[in-house]
Every structure is written in structure tokens, then in C-alpha cells.
Amino acid sequence: MAPALKRFLAVFFLVSSALWASKADSSFQRLAGLPIIAYTQETKVLVGATTMVFFKPNDFQPYGDQIDIAVMRTQNKQNRLTALWKSYWFQGKVYAENKINYRSWPGKYYGNFSQEKIDAERYDMLTLQVDGRWLYGLEHIFPWTGWLEPFSWGVEYDIEYNSAKFANKTAANDIIHSGNRVGLGISIVRDTRDNVNYASTGSYLLWRQLFYPKQLGSTHEFINTIVQYCHFIPLFNHLVLALGVYGQGTWGDVPFDRLAIPDGTYQMRGLEKGIWRDKQQLVWQSEVRFPLFWRLGGVVFAEAAQLGSHFSGLLRSPVKFDVGMGGRFVLNAERKLNARADLSWVNQRLGVTIYYNEAF
């Protein structure tokens, strides 16, 4: 454990000390740049850089627009380029997130959760994806009903070209992979959090469902549904109790990389992504957050997950646990945007996750 703990601390403080930021005036941070030195079980050491451009909010925006551009390469020779644009339209009535994601991604396929397969099939995957959502506040449709103010609904879209080549071509015949994925769906959100990046009170509810029919150009027809609920409770001395549940269900001819998979970064942190996968998953999350000094903070957390091929099997499946602690470093004080480093015990081994943005 000692070498892993040293790596955990060294990388976290290296990330913390690498921050640079630019302010046009003393009250607003317009630009932040961060050399990314991260670690997950899937990628091992990850290096890169991200630039975040912040725009001042106006009277119609709770937050200003934001553009994130990140370039990454991992120890496992995985490459990724991501551009994300968060924006507000029509005097703040519409909120939009649009993302472009390119990946050249060698990985390992372990089979599904019920098989508990140990041997992995190696593959090389190339993807180009454009996805996003546009949300419209329901209070603008029904202004006389004040209780609808936290609700919004909108359109989700997902367009991806995917090419995966397996080292074992015989095994690949039994795995659904590659092809075009073109999905369209809807989402409903209820959000009363005091901050989207680091909430200390309020709650967040998301329901989204995307359909991938062949009529839209999808190679494989499937459905993906996600339900997420998070609740944040202020305690004493600025401590915050965060509770969450994340459920995902997939139906149809689902490509292996679109199955329900705890990603090891946002769910069951420290787990190698892909080592558990099935058609459905349920993840319970809890965390206590606390400030330390200057820009540093800490967390202790516990998570539990179940996976299965159908709902009844999901509830009967064994429960897997994840417990740990972590550190936080504030990248942008106005927006409470943090870099995080989490050390966990998951799947009977030590896991490390160093990333930015909270797990939930």
C-alpha cells in the first residue's frame, strides 16, 4: 500500500501545484489552464492538458458560458481529444451542452458481470462522437406554477462512428461491436443544487432515455435509459453529506462499450472500467465532504453496486462495495470547480482515481 499511497499523494500535489489562471479583473476568473496528470485503473498514468474559458454570467444566467478543451494520452497508449461547450440561449431559458470527443483507445473486454470472467480480450477502438442536450425550463411554459421552476426538459442526441478490432477474431464474433450509433431521446431534470460543481445543499434528479433505431442510421438497434438522483445535506463546520443513486438500463442489440458499466471515475471510483459490465446496473453512493485550509479539502466515501442482465437478476446479484478517502484542490473559486484525488478499496484491491469534477 505504501508505494500506491506515495504515488497518490505525489500526483495529487503535482496537479495542485500545476494550476495557472488568468483574471481580467480582481473579481472574475476568465481562464484556467491545467496540465492533467491523472490516474485511473483503466488508463494507468494519464497526462495531458485542459483549458477552461469562463464567460461572465448576466441577469438571465445562474452561471456563465464555459468552454473546455482537453487533450490526453495514457500510459496504455490511449489518446483522447475532447471539446465541451456549456451555454445559455434565449435569455437563459435554454441550457445546452454540446461535446465533440475523439478517442483512439486500446482496451480490454472482460465479458459481463454474471460470468465473472478473468481473462480479457484485447481490442483497439477508434471513435468520433458528437453528443449533447438542450434543456428548456418548464417554468417558462407554465409561469403560473411556481413549483415547476426547478424542472427542465429537453432533447438528447448522440452521433458516433465506432470501429473496434479485437486481437482474438474468433471471440469478436460473439461480441456486438463497431458500427454507427445514432441516438435521439429526451431528458427531464429537476435541479435545486446551490452549485453545479460542488453542491452543499439541494438535490439533482435526472431521467434520460435515448433510442438508437436503424431508421436514424444506427448499425445496432438499442435503448439506453439513465436515472440519477443526488441529495446534499449541510452538516456542521461546513461539512456536507452527499447521497446519490445511479441506475442504468439497456435493451436490444447493445454494443459492448454501451452496456451498463461502472466507469471507475464517477461510479465505483478506483475500479478498472469494463471489468464489470451487463445490461443493467444500480450504484449507491455516499460521501462526506469537508474543507481543510487554503484551496484544499477532503472527502470520505462509500459506494455499492449491483449489475444484472435484467431487473430481477439485478436485485439478486451480489453487492460489490467501494470505500475510500480523497483530497480536493480548488481550480476555480467562483465556480467551485475542483481537482480530485481518491484512494479506494474496491474489488479486493487498492484503486486510485485522480481527475477533476466531483464524482456526483
Side-chain angles (χ1 to χ4, degrees):
M1 181 179 295
L5 183 59
K6 288 180 181 178
R7 177 174 58 193
F8 170 81
L9 294 174
V11 174
F12 178 55
F13 284 111
L14 185 57
V15 169
S16 302
S17 63
L19 174 70
W20 63 268
S22 173
K23 293 188 178 184
D25 54 58
S26 60
S27 61
F28 184 75
Q29 181 176 327
R30 295 188 180 276
L31 188 68
L34 180 70
I36 300 172
I37 306 173
Y39 186 95
T40 70
Q41 301 303 121
E42 179 194 16
T43 64
K44 304 306 178 186
V45 177
L46 181 153
V47 297
T50 183
T51 297
M52 291 170 261
V53 182
F54 306 105
F55 298 86
K56 272 191 174 182
N58 54 41
D59 294 337
F60 306 108
Q61 299 174 343
Y63 305 94
D65 291 3
Q66 179 177 334
I67 297 175
D68 298 352
I69 300 176
V71 180
M72 308 175 192
R73 180 173 173 82
T74 77
Q75 185 179 348
N76 291 337
K77 299 181 180 179
Q78 300 152 327
N79 300 291
R80 183 171 184 173
L81 170 63
T82 302
L84 172 64
W85 180 24
K86 302 176 182 179
S87 57
Y88 293 85
W89 297 78
F90 306 109
Q91 296 183 327
K93 295 180 180 179
V94 174
Y95 170 72
E97 291 184 4
N98 297 281
K99 181 174 65 177
I100 300 175
N101 189 21
Y102 166 82
R103 295 194 308 166
S104 174
W105 208 260
K108 292 182 284 187
Y109 173 77
Y110 290 94
N112 65 28
F113 181 73
S114 59
Q115 292 173 319
E116 292 287 350
K117 187 175 180 181
I118 299 175
D119 296 331
E121 303 292 348
R122 295 186 175 273
Y123 64 85
D124 287 312
M125 180 180 291
L126 180 68
T127 66
L128 179 61
Q129 182 181 21
V130 180
D131 68 329
R133 61 178 178 170
W134 292 70
L135 298 175
Y136 188 83
L138 288 182
E139 77 274 14
H140 303 304
I141 303 177
F142 308 102
W144 59 89
T145 56
W147 64 274
L148 285 175
E149 183 177 353
F151 286 88
S152 56
W153 72 281
V155 176
E156 301 259 353
Y157 72 92
D158 179 12
I159 304 169
E160 179 186 341
Y161 164 78
N162 184 296
S163 175
K165 297 180 180 179
F166 282 78
N168 186 340
K169 295 183 179 180
T170 302
N173 293 333
D174 300 324
I175 303 170
I176 301 175
H177 63 87
S178 299
N180 299 323
R181 295 89 182 269
V182 184
L184 190 63
I186 60 173
S187 60
I188 298 174
V189 174
R190 182 183 185 273
D191 192 353
T192 62
R193 294 172 297 175
D194 60 335
N195 187 279
V196 297
N197 294 319
Y198 188 88
S200 59
T201 185
S203 62
Y204 176 80
L205 173 65
L206 166 69
W207 176 84
R208 66 187 290 264
Q209 187 168 52
L210 275 84
F211 298 85
Y212 296 80
K214 289 187 176 179
Q215 291 84 347
L216 289 179
S218 287
T219 305
H220 310 287
E221 287 191 309
F222 62 99
I223 301 172
N224 188 351
T225 302
I226 292 175
V227 178
Q228 182 179 15
Y229 178 73
C230 307
H231 193 72
F232 304 91
I233 305 170
L235 301 176
F236 53 90
N237 292 334
H238 304 290
L239 270 71
V240 175
L241 173 63
L243 303 171
V245 58
Y246 180 91
Q248 181 181 4
T250 60
W251 296 266
D253 297 327
V254 190
F256 79 96
D257 57 300
R258 291 301 188 96
L259 290 167
I261 306 172
D263 62 10
T265 304
Y266 298 100
Q267 307 102 32
M268 301 301 287
R269 63 197 88 173
L271 181 72
E272 181 179 353
K273 182 180 178 180
I275 203 167
W276 300 341
R277 78 176 77 227
D278 219 312
K279 285 205 165 183
Q280 301 192 32
Q281 70 169 319
L282 184 63
V283 181
W284 301 89
Q285 299 177 289
S286 62
E287 182 173 283
V288 176
R289 305 170 176 175
F290 49 89
L292 292 174
F293 59 91
W294 187 51
R295 292 193 174 201
L296 295 177
V299 302
V300 292
F301 60 88
E303 300 171 295
Q306 290 177 282
L307 287 90
S309 58
H310 51 278
F311 187 71
S312 60
L314 172 71
L315 297 180
R316 292 195 303 267
S317 69
V319 181
K320 301 290 188 178
F321 295 97
D322 176 14
V323 295
M325 65 182 71
R328 299 295 182 267
F329 180 81
V330 178
L331 300 178
N332 185 305
E334 289 94 356
R335 306 208 177 189
K336 296 185 178 181
L337 179 63
N338 293 338
R340 63 184 173 96
D342 294 317
L343 185 68
S344 61
W345 181 256
V346 57
N347 201 27
Q348 299 181 340
R349 65 184 62 186
L350 194 66
V352 178
T353 302
I354 300 176
Y355 223 69
Y356 64 95
N357 287 330
E358 296 302 323
F360 68 98

